[in-house]
Amino acid sequence: MEFYLEPSTKVKDVTERLKACRYGDVISCTDAGLFEVAKAILVREKLPGLTVQLLDDSDYVLRSVTSRKRRDNQKTDRFNDRQEAVLKALEKVLAHCEKEGIRLIGFSDDLVAVPAHLDDGSGLSAEAVDLDTCGVYRGAEYRGN
């Protein structure tokens, strides 16, 4: 169903209206402040599947937000959006390593960092720092133990 919130609607009434909604309902308003209040209530109350829209005077949708539950429990063959964000962050960290002259070297089942100018290709250096990979990194010698 679709519901319209009058600009004079109080926060308590917005909360009650949103809590009474069902999955798929659309709540519209023309007041930007009320739109922000409704968005905050969606998050605070964890109300999935509702859409809040900010309309102009011609009922054109200026802004819209839809709440949803994250599906972390489902195993798929692809990375979920949170995992993709972590991978992007990792790529940024690796770019910073390159910029700062740090080489990461897989050594047995460890990952070590070496200043780039000391990397002779052997992976052996007194300056090598063993990195705590929290069990995420597995070297070529990993056997699944």
Side-chain angles (χ1 to χ4, degrees):
M1 293 188 80
E2 291 190 26
F3 300 96
Y4 178 76
L5 300 174
E6 295 290 335
S8 60
T9 307
K10 306 231 182 291
V11 173
K12 178 184 173 200
D13 296 331
V14 174
T15 303
E16 289 175 5
R17 172 74 265 165
L18 291 176
K19 283 183 171 182
C21 287
R22 294 182 177 197
Y23 194 93
D25 286 351
V26 177
I27 301 89
S28 302
C29 62
T30 54
D31 182 78
L34 195 56
F35 175 78
E36 294 300 326
V37 166
K39 274 187 3 181
I41 292 169
L42 282 180
V43 173
R44 184 185 73 220
E45 300 295 329
K46 298 178 181 169
L47 302 170
L50 303 182
T51 298
V52 176
Q53 299 177 336
L54 176 62
L55 307 175
D56 68 5
D57 295 333
S58 303
D59 287 338
Y60 180 80
V61 178
L62 299 173
R63 294 174 60 197
S64 178
V65 64
T66 301
S67 59
R68 63 183 173 91
K69 283 187 176 183
R70 188 173 297 280
R71 293 185 215 128
D72 284 337
N73 295 340
Q74 292 180 344
K75 302 280 188 205
T76 65
D77 293 339
R78 299 175 357 135
F79 291 113
N80 64 35
D81 57 341
R82 291 176 74 179
Q83 291 169 324
E84 287 178 6
V86 169
L87 291 173
K88 292 280 185 208
L90 178 59
E91 288 173 344
K92 287 180 181 180
V93 168
L94 294 173
H96 284 297
C97 287
E98 179 184 30
K99 181 179 176 183
E100 296 299 324
I102 299 170
R103 294 271 167 85
L104 298 179
I105 301 167
F107 186 70
S108 184
D109 279 343
D110 294 324
L111 186 62
V112 298
V114 178
H117 69 279
L118 296 177
D119 179 22
D120 63 3
S122 71
L124 301 173
S125 172
E127 299 303 317
V129 175
D130 190 25
L131 299 176
D132 179 6
T133 61
C134 301
V136 174
Y137 174 80
R138 290 187 271 184
E141 296 180 15
Y142 177 76
R143 301 273 188 242
N145 300 347

